[in-house]
């Protein structure tokens, strides 16, 4: 498969790229900063420098053409202000969905956030972030031309993955290693029946391959 990942230098994206490359798939990582090219190549991914805050739908669609699936894993980052939560966490996700439709790529997997809600109250930067992610998710869910899956992990950690998760429409709060998030994304990409689902993910007691099959009704 050829998988294009927005936010290709993110911690989850780099893990996913390594998993894809290890099994012989073609991972393409979209990055804004050319200084990150070597990191992507080291992960086994093909880097594409493109700023999703300023790129057009047409420019982005050119990168996506021929892909079997796309993953939106971009984010403005923890040190960014409210404005970039809207331009990246919402705006870039919508642009990426527009580009996927234009390029004819149906499978669209989103790395969202637990608590994402377009009507989330509050004025702190994290409140703005949850509204932006919620608005992006709502936009993606409205698109009949996309076979979308939205994954909302709990508190991300850098602990080694256990391969044991709880994956459900609602899990309650809890931590989850980034290793396991990347591995679940890989399983979701392999599971067309997971399309149309919004899922929460935390550490649990079910092998992640089984968890994905169960939630997809396989």
């Amino acid at each position: 498969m050829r998988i294009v990942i927005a936010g290709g230098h993110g911690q989850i994206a780099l893990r996913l790229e390594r998993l894809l490359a290890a099994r012989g798939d073609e991972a393409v990582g979209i990055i804004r900063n050319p200084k990150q090219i070597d990191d992507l190549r080291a992960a086994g991914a093909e880097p594409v420098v493109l700023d999703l805050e300023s790129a057009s739908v047409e420019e982005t669609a050119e990168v996506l053409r021929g892909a079997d699936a796309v993953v939106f894993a971009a984010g403005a980052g923890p040190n960014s202000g409210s404005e970039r939560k809207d331009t990246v966490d919402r705006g870039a996700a919508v642009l990426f969905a527009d580009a996927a439709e234009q390029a004819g790529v149906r499978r669209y997997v989103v790395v969202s956030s637990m608590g994402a809600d377009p009507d989330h109250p509050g004025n702190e930067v994290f409140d703005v972030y949850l509204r932006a992610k919620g608005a992006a998710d709502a936009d993606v869910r409205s698109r009949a031309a996309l076979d979308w899956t939205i994954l909302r992990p709990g508190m991300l950690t850098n602990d080694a993955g256990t391969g044991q998760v709880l994956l459900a429409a609602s899990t309650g709060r809890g931590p989850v290693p980034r290793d396991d998030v990347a591995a679940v994304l890989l399983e979701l990409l392999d599971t067309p029946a997971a399309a149309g689902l919004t899922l929460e993910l935390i550490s649990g007691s079910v092998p992640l391959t089984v968890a994905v099959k169960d939630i997809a009704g396989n």
Side-chain angles (χ1 to χ4, degrees):
M1 292 195 297
R2 176 180 170 87
I3 310 295
V4 182
I5 304 167
H9 194 259
Q11 295 187 65
I12 291 170
L14 285 168
R15 286 168 168 80
L16 177 59
E17 287 155 8
R18 291 187 195 103
L19 293 174
L20 289 165
R23 68 178 199 177
D25 288 328
E26 186 180 354
V28 179
I30 296 177
I31 53 176
R32 191 166 56 107
N33 186 348
K35 293 179 181 177
Q36 298 168 345
I37 285 174
D38 289 345
D39 290 342
L40 264 72
R41 288 185 175 144
E46 172 194 337
V48 173
V49 179
L50 184 71
D51 186 348
L52 294 175
E53 285 183 274
S54 58
S56 67
V57 172
E58 291 73 21
E59 288 171 322
T60 309
E62 278 304 309
V63 178
L64 303 190
R65 229 172 284 285
D68 296 287
V70 297
V71 178
F72 186 82
N79 297 318
S80 60
S82 298
E83 185 176 331
R84 294 200 66 232
K85 302 303 183 195
D86 184 67
T87 56
V88 179
D89 294 289
R90 184 201 59 78
V94 171
L95 170 87
F96 208 57
D98 288 340
E101 288 186 353
Q102 186 163 312
V105 182
R106 290 197 62 91
R107 191 74 177 105
Y108 190 100
V109 177
V110 179
V111 182
S112 185
S113 176
M114 195 172 286
D117 180 350
D119 298 316
H120 180 83
N123 297 310
E124 299 297 322
V125 171
F126 192 68
D127 298 323
V128 176
Y129 167 75
L130 291 176
R131 280 197 295 275
K133 294 298 282 186
D137 292 354
D139 178 274
V140 169
R141 285 198 295 251
S142 73
R143 296 173 184 256
L146 296 179
D147 296 326
W148 52 265
T149 303
I150 293 168
L151 183 65
R152 293 175 167 175
M155 186 183 72
L156 298 169
T157 75
N158 287 325
D159 296 338
T162 66
Q164 306 277 319
V165 300
L166 175 59
L167 180 69
S170 179
T171 61
R173 302 220 168 242
V176 62
R178 289 178 172 88
D179 286 351
D180 288 337
V181 178
V184 167
L185 288 170
L186 189 72
E187 290 294 324
L188 290 172
L189 288 168
D190 288 343
T191 310
L197 300 177
T198 301
L199 303 169
E200 294 184 351
L201 174 69
I202 59 174
S203 290
S205 58
V206 179
L208 60 87
T209 53
V210 175
V212 172
K213 286 185 174 64
D214 285 350
I215 201 74
N218 291 346

